[in-house]
Amino acid sequence: FTDTITGELKPDLEALRNTSLWHRTRTAFLNRDLASLRQVAPDIEANLPGRADALRRFLDVCTAWDASTSPAQTPADKRLLILSDSRWQRAAVGWTIPSANGIMHPDGESIEPLQSTQGTCAKGLYAHAPSCYAYALGAGWERLRSRFGLQSGHAGSVVFVIRGDGRELFRSAETTTASPEGRADIDVKGVELLELVVEPGNDGNSSDWGIWFEPTLSR
C-alpha cells in the first residue's frame, strides 16, 4: 500500500479509491460476474486508463463464460464438446488462477498461450499442480479424449489423473518436460461428475505447469 501514502505520510485518497476500485474489478472477474464488471467498467476507463487492456480481457472471459453451459446442459444433438469451452462446476489451481484456452495472470496483465511439444494450442485447461477442474456431465457423454503435458519452458514434474464420480479412471506416469506428450482416451458412460486432476510429482510443485490440451467429450 506504499502507493497510497503521500510524501507527507498522509493517505492519498485518490490512490486508495483506485486501489479499492481495482480490487472490486478483480473480485468480479474471479467470480465470473459479468454484470458487476460492466457496472464498474466506466469508472475503470475514467480513473485507471492503464488498466483498460486488463479490463477488456476480463470482460472477454466473462462474456464467454456467461454464454457457456455445463456439459450436462449441452443439447443432446451436440456430439463433441471441448471442455475448455464449457462451464466447470468448480476449479482450483496451485498457482495464479484457473484459466481456459490460455493462461491469464491474476491482474489480467496478459494471457499466455498454451504451448505443447507440438506448438501453440488454442484450446485447453491450465492446471498448475495441485489442480482440479470438475464438470457436471449428467451421465450424457460416452468418451473423454485429451492430450496432456507441461507448458513448454517449465521444468516441473506432475501426474495427470481423471476421476468419474470419485472413482479413478486414469492415472498417467510422472510427466516432465522430457516426457513425450501424453494421451488419454477414457470411457465416461454414466458419469455424473468428471474431475481432471493434476498432482505434483515427487519433487514438489515448483514449476508444475500442467496443461490439458484439447480435452474433448464425445457421444
Side-chain angles (χ1 to χ4, degrees):
F1 292 98
T2 55
D3 59 345
T4 62
I5 303 296
T6 69
E8 298 175 348
L9 298 181
K10 295 180 180 179
D12 183 333
L13 296 181
E14 181 179 0
L16 284 169
R17 281 194 299 270
N18 288 342
T19 297
S20 175
L21 177 61
W22 186 247
H23 176 73
R24 285 167 49 208
T25 304
R26 186 170 178 273
T27 298
F29 167 70
L30 292 174
N31 291 333
R32 298 295 194 267
D33 185 346
L34 180 59
S36 292
L37 268 182
R38 285 174 171 165
Q39 185 176 32
V40 78
D43 290 333
I44 293 294
E45 291 165 354
N47 298 292
L48 292 171
R51 298 282 195 179
D53 286 346
L55 173 65
R56 176 183 51 78
R57 295 185 190 101
F58 286 173
L59 285 166
D60 287 348
V61 169
C62 288
T63 298
W65 176 266
D66 209 50
S68 69
T69 59
S70 74
Q73 297 170 316
T74 301
D77 60 354
K78 188 175 179 66
R79 313 306 293 178
L80 294 175
L81 177 67
I82 298 177
L83 278 176
S84 58
D85 289 336
S86 66
R87 184 176 296 205
W88 58 67
Q89 183 167 299
R90 65 176 188 277
V93 296
W95 187 82
T96 188
I97 58 178
S99 303
N101 303 328
I103 304 168
M104 178 172 278
H105 293 270
D107 276 337
E109 301 96 335
S110 63
I111 299 179
E112 182 177 344
L114 303 175
Q115 296 279 352
S116 76
T117 56
Q118 299 179 15
T120 300
C121 185
K123 301 292 184 180
L125 295 168
Y126 163 74
H128 190 296
S131 66
C132 180
Y133 287 84
Y135 291 88
L137 300 193
W141 296 89
E142 296 184 3
R143 299 205 72 80
L144 169 71
R145 295 178 176 88
S146 185
R147 297 152 45 217
F148 57 82
L150 286 170
Q151 174 79 352
S152 180
H154 293 272
S157 62
V158 298
V159 176
F160 291 85
V161 179
I162 299 172
R163 298 181 187 137
D165 297 330
R167 181 169 62 90
E168 191 169 294
L169 305 177
F170 172 84
R171 175 174 289 267
S172 75
E174 187 171 80
T175 300
T176 69
T177 49
S179 303
E181 188 176 273
R183 292 179 182 270
D185 186 348
I186 307 300
D187 185 340
V188 294
K189 292 187 190 75
V191 170
E192 294 282 352
L193 182 69
L194 178 73
E195 295 172 287
L196 303 184
V197 174
V198 179
E199 300 174 351
N202 292 324
D203 58 353
N205 72 335
S206 177
S207 204
D208 282 357
W209 289 47
I211 310 290
W212 297 97
F213 296 107
E214 298 179 329
T216 304
L217 292 167
S218 63
R219 57 187 169 196

